[in-house]
Amino acid sequence: MTDTHSGGHAAVAALEAEATRYVFGLIGSATMEMFDALYESSVELIAVHDERTGTHMADGYARASGNAGVVLAGQNGPGATNLVTGLAQAKAAYSPVIALAGMLSSGHVHRDAFQEVDQQALFTPVTKKTWTVPSADRVQEFIQEAHRVALAPRKGPVHVNLPRDVLSAQTPVVATRNPSRYRNHSSPAPDTVALAAAVRLIESSARPVIVAGGGIKDPGAWEPVAALSEVIHAPIVCSPGHGDAIPARVERAMGQMGPRGNPEASRLVLDADVLIVLGSRLGFNSTFYSHDNINPETKIIQVEIEPTAIGRFFDIEVGIWADAARTAGDLAAACASAQSDTRENWMRSAIEARKDFLAQRDADAINRTPIQPSGLFKALRGVLPEDAAITMDAGTMCLQATDQLSYGGPHSLFTPLDFGLVGFSFACGLGVKLAQPDRPVVSLMGDGGFGMTMSELSTAVDHGISTVTVVMNNGSWGAEKAYQRDFFDGRYIGADVSSPPFDQVAAAYGATGYRADTVDEVGDAVRAALETDGPAVVDVAVDPDALYSFRRDSFTHRGG
């Protein structure tokens, strides 16, 4: 007699075959067979309080581990719809999140059934691909396909709908496939003609600059970029949100460029006669699609694993469809004999300007009460370990912080990137910590964003996930209040946030809370939080009047 099991058990067997370590999920009646299978599975359930934050945890886990992050919405309808924000975020970040959601029984579709929503249509715009499993005997096939698609370049989230009748139906137990048999094992090598053209352009340049993006950060392959920089005497700037693509200890690393970067890195990009763009789209956060941030006379060499990204926003001189890190190594080898005193002087000047900028930044930091952002960031620079993984939220405080801190190397900085999501950082940090349990994980948030997601303190406490969350508490939606001040005559409405003392909230959840009301208290509080066994929250009182209009370009139509 053939052994059988439910579609839900088949789904968990497929996850086990993928060596899935964690599933972030919220229980619901639509997927009880899956939860029953997880009861005795090698896959550990991280029970969350909200499907959105569970998706952010899966996102952080995926980015930090390089594997797929799996989130399970146990309930169809509202349980599934709560995934949408997290999946849209993951899509903007090219993060391989696999979302699984229960769905109403196949026979109830289009009958206005309880909690019915067209989940196939709902998730299609916010994923690489969405499937609805038609029968129990195909559950494993679809989950294998979900992993294959999510992890193929460019990576991204996918979604699988699992109807109730499919999960409850019995199906024969079959051997699961080895994932190595349906995964890509290589990436395209650079075309030799294009590579030679790039070499000629670099050798003729006087002021080359390397832009390192997600295509360098994601595989953690920064060494070939550093080697290329040394050979051709080109400073390295990082695209925004990828400031960890190159370790801060590399002398030729200049930090993040563009309208959300630092002035020295941005100046280098504007002054460059050749830009060597490695694994970056030169998208919105890097350029605002404007020649205000990239000189129109600059010749661009763009290397991307996604061919549709090459030359999409800016005209290029050489486009190379290939793995960015491998291409950097090939360029370094090909340019090894190309010496230039002009480029060497250019590099030396950039290094000195960077040192002066960093020294001046420290000197200009304001140490007074109420706490100013510059003083807070200097305090954090002094206390955060070099190997810390740092997660950020959206909002101007975090946008300023992104290039104010130092990163030890790839997979040290996790931000919402182009989706600009508030409420991301804390939950993302929990996923990062599970992926990298031996590293300190510090999550920076504003008070508004933490207020959205602090219920996951229960998740952190229940599962012993020891992260440190620094709440930069200025009592407002800071970006919007700054815009109301600068462009709407200070007519404040909806911009102020009232919150409980977050250090006391943490204690009420069973975590540990700290408070800092002065700059001098920040270092001690964060240091103590890092040494705490269990999750910790540091509530930092930041000056509510220290507001900054980051997106001034959004209001040029007002004549400001």
Side-chain angles (χ1 to χ4, degrees), residues 5-302:
H5 57 179
S6 71
H9 282 73
V12 171
L15 293 176
E16 290 172 343
E18 291 285 347
T20 303
R21 181 69 183 88
Y22 300 103
V23 166
F24 304 90
L26 180 54
I27 195 168
S29 62
T31 53
M32 292 305 293
E33 290 81 7
M34 279 197 70
F35 282 92
D36 183 67
L38 286 168
Y39 184 81
E40 294 181 338
S41 173
S42 60
V43 180
E44 181 179 348
L45 173 68
I46 303 297
V48 302
H49 284 248
D50 185 270
E51 294 88 353
R52 170 193 162 177
T53 44
T55 311
H56 299 332
M57 292 179 207
D59 185 350
Y61 180 86
R63 295 197 223 175
S65 68
N67 300 318
V70 181
V71 60
L72 172 59
Q75 194 65 23
N76 55 283
T81 60
N82 283 346
L83 297 172
V84 171
T85 298
L87 289 175
Q89 159 61 50
K91 187 176 183 182
Y94 304 103
S95 181
V97 172
I98 294 175
L100 310 174
M103 185 172 162
L104 76 164
S105 294
S106 304
H108 294 169
V109 175
H110 302 313
R111 288 184 169 178
D112 296 329
F114 179 64
Q115 297 182 327
E116 179 173 6
V117 65
D118 187 347
Q119 293 178 197
Q120 180 69 33
L122 179 71
F123 290 106
T124 297
V126 295
T127 60
K128 283 182 74 175
K129 192 168 183 178
T130 293
W131 302 265
T132 297
V133 182
S135 58
D137 63 337
R138 299 190 67 188
V139 167
Q140 291 186 6
E141 171 195 342
F142 276 73
I143 289 180
Q144 290 166 350
E145 178 72 356
H147 282 80
R148 190 181 70 82
V149 173
L151 291 164
R154 280 186 299 184
K155 296 177 181 179
V158 298
H159 178 77
V160 182
N161 293 307
L162 296 157
R164 287 174 180 247
D165 54 310
V166 169
L167 290 179
S168 63
Q170 293 293 304
T171 185
V173 176
V174 296
T176 53
R177 296 170 66 193
N178 186 322
S180 67
R181 297 298 181 92
Y182 51 88
R183 295 281 177 80
N184 177 48
H185 295 281
S186 64
S187 55
D191 174 77
T192 55
V193 174
L195 194 71
V199 170
R200 289 193 298 272
L201 192 57
I202 291 169
E203 290 179 343
S204 68
S205 69
R207 302 181 307 280
V209 170
I210 297 170
V211 179
I216 298 300
K217 169 179 171 171
D218 183 53
W222 62 270
E223 292 91 344
V225 182
L228 175 62
S229 168
E230 186 170 10
V231 165
I232 67 173
H233 305 301
I236 308 167
V237 302
C238 297
S239 60
H242 300 306
D244 57 333
I246 307 297
R249 64 181 179 273
V250 175
E251 187 180 43
R252 296 174 300 282
M254 303 289 139
Q256 294 180 134
M257 51 81 75
R260 293 179 173 175
N262 70 72
E264 282 305 313
S266 302
R267 178 189 61 79
L268 288 170
V269 172
L270 280 171
D271 289 349
D273 60 353
V274 170
L275 279 183
I276 306 153
V277 183
L278 301 173
S280 172
R281 297 168 295 141
L282 295 178
F284 175 80
N285 275 336
S286 298
T287 66
F288 286 177
Y289 311 126
S290 166
H291 279 296
D292 291 341
N293 301 291
I294 290 183
N295 190 320
E297 302 302 317
T298 300
K299 294 179 172 61
I300 298 175
I301 301 165
Q302 188 175 13

Side-chain angles (χ1 to χ4, degrees), residues 379-404:
L380 290 174
R381 289 195 295 271
V383 73
L384 293 180
E386 184 181 1
D387 65 337
I390 300 169
T391 71
M392 299 277 186
D393 230 41
T396 58
M397 288 287 286
C398 283
L399 285 172
Q400 292 174 73
T402 303
D403 198 72
Q404 289 269 345

